Amino acid sequence: MQGVLASSFRESKVEILDLRHFSSADLRPLMEDEIAVWSSLLSWDYRASAEMIQRYVDAKILPGYAAIERGRIFGYAFFVYEGSKGVIGDLFVANGSRLPNPHEVERRILLHVIETLQQSPGIHRIEAQLLVHETGIVAQPFVNQGFQRHARLFMTLPLGQKAPVKASRQVPGDIAIRRWAEQDYQAAAAVITSAYRGHVDSTINDQYRSLSGALRFLNNIVRFPGCGIFDPEASFVAVQEKTRALAGLILCSRVREDVGHVTQVCMVPEYRSHGIGEALLAVTAANLRQRNFSLLSLTVTEANARAVELYCRLGFETKRVFDAFVWEG
């Protein structure tokens, strides 16, 4: 079967070319297809991300590859460099009814991206999380090149007719929950670094391992539309009243006009198992419901059993399983 796919690929005269040879006008029809897929699979409005990608394409500063057949782009991937790390930002191939086989095209594009990153001077780590691809679908090129693979869950909670999310117990008396404020940046980064020390998620995302990395993570969440538009009204922190130190936080973005997405929820170790995570999720869900949102989503690593159990107990359901990949050279 692999030989048949490879033969079909050759016969269709598909070329894999540098993305920087093209303009947003060349990419736009494919981006429209991708916007529709994100909306259908994830209830996610991908237009802002697509516009940002097209701006970078026009500026010729976005490294990546495009699959071309008869002068038309029908697949692409891009990546970015972050110091000694490369991050694969997206992979999308239009799933048309005619040859070439989309999975074979995905494999070929990924091989180009992975080889480019692994051969780039000074790159010692590569990360990828490809949310719209079901687990296993694009795993082969990564596994063959020595990547670790981590299953992740995309979970959703309807906010319409279902009973409101309620914490099963009261938070400790010395903890107060208030809305996120701009001055919480530094303290929030410290919470993230503490919360993920030794955690599987710090293997998947190395920004969690340092204060400077956590600050970059927060800046990406709050300032850029890659993971939706940050929603400070539905983002909260748990504060230790005597010391004013942060004990936990939840950050939420708007990924569609009526859909929220939890981009981060974590607690410092000493305040785990105190009901704070439940309370933060409950207050975010209540805020969104009050504003007539229809859905709240989040992602979680499948190996993080305690978090998965909590989300299931609160009414979240798994809608997709996707893979995160990590390579360290």
Side-chain angles (χ1 to χ4, degrees):
M1 178 60 74
Q2 187 69 31
V4 172
L5 293 177
S7 175
S8 298
F9 188 92
R10 287 192 297 271
E11 289 170 7
S12 66
K13 297 180 180 176
V14 171
E15 294 182 281
I16 307 296
L17 301 177
D18 192 314
L19 185 61
R20 289 167 290 193
H21 292 326
F22 302 96
S23 71
S24 62
D26 301 315
L27 197 59
R28 192 166 295 120
L30 181 65
M31 299 298 298
E32 292 297 326
D33 290 344
E34 185 172 20
I35 288 167
V37 168
W38 279 75
S39 177
S40 172
L41 294 181
L42 305 171
S43 301
W44 200 307
D45 186 347
Y46 198 66
R47 286 177 297 179
S49 296
E51 289 168 4
M52 183 171 64
I53 291 167
Q54 289 175 89
R55 285 198 302 272
Y56 290 155
V57 166
D58 280 338
K60 309 300 182 187
I61 59 173
L62 189 66
Y65 291 95
I68 314 297
E69 184 189 36
R70 298 170 186 166
R72 179 181 67 94
I73 298 178
F74 68 96
Y76 83 109
F78 74 84
F79 54 93
V80 295
Y81 293 102
E82 296 180 0
S84 63
K85 179 175 72 173
V87 179
I88 300 174
D90 194 14
L91 166 71
F92 181 74
V93 174
N95 193 1
S97 58
R98 60 186 181 84
L99 291 174
N101 180 283
H103 297 318
E104 173 66 9
V105 177
E106 289 167 350
R107 187 186 71 82
R108 291 292 299 271
I109 295 174
L110 279 174
L111 282 173
H112 276 74
V113 169
I114 292 168
E115 289 175 2
T116 299
L117 285 169
Q118 289 183 330
Q119 293 169 13
S120 296
I123 293 298
H124 304 296
R125 180 180 172 90
I126 305 170
E127 297 175 357
Q129 294 193 52
L130 301 173
L131 188 54
V132 299
H133 297 271
E134 285 280 3
T135 180
I137 294 295
V138 296
Q140 183 188 354
F142 290 103
V143 174
N144 289 350
Q145 295 299 318
F147 281 71
Q148 298 176 30
R149 177 182 169 191
H150 302 270
R152 306 204 74 222
L153 310 179
F154 177 80
M155 307 183 76
T156 63
L157 175 73
L159 297 174
Q161 302 301 317
K162 293 187 73 171
V165 175
K166 291 184 178 179
S168 61
R169 53 181 163 160
Q170 294 290 322
V171 299
D174 62 338
I175 295 293
I177 293 177
R178 64 162 171 80
R179 190 163 277 124
W180 166 270
E182 189 75 15
Q183 62 266 28
D184 290 324
Y185 255 97
Q186 194 78 20
V191 170
I192 290 170
T193 305
S194 176
Y196 290 105
R197 190 171 292 118
H199 194 281
V200 62
D201 285 356
S202 68
T203 301
I204 295 171
N205 184 348
D206 72 343
Q207 289 183 327
Y208 293 163
R209 299 179 186 177
S210 67
L211 189 63
S212 60
L215 282 167
R216 288 197 302 275
F217 167 82
L218 287 169
N219 191 58
N220 288 339
I221 292 297
V222 174
R223 307 292 186 199
F224 294 100
C227 206
I229 299 170
F230 180 61
D231 188 352
E233 194 173 339
S235 301
F236 296 87
V237 295
V239 182
Q240 211 283 336
E241 290 193 309
K242 287 184 179 179
T243 64
R244 311 309 301 168
L246 296 194
L249 59 92
I250 185 168
L251 303 179
C252 185
S253 287
R254 192 173 69 253
V255 295
R256 199 177 73 187
E257 187 177 354
D258 63 334
V259 178
H261 181 76
V262 176
T263 54
Q264 182 59 248
V265 56
C266 63
M267 270 65 61
V268 294
E270 56 267 34
Y271 275 103
R272 287 182 189 145
S273 302
H274 285 71
I276 297 173
E278 290 182 60
L280 288 168
L281 284 160
V283 73
T284 288
N287 175 276
L288 295 174
R289 183 178 284 107
Q290 186 178 26
R291 294 158 58 199
N292 296 317
F293 278 58
S294 65
L295 194 72
L296 176 62
S297 62
L298 55 78
T299 59
V300 60
T301 304
E302 190 174 49
N304 189 358
R306 286 176 58 184
V308 173
E309 189 276 331
L310 169 62
Y311 301 146
C312 289
R313 180 155 45 85
L314 293 176
F316 285 85
E317 296 180 352
T318 299
K319 295 300 183 183
R320 296 182 67 77
V321 184
F322 64 100
D323 292 320
F325 301 98
V326 179
W327 174 83
E328 294 195 86

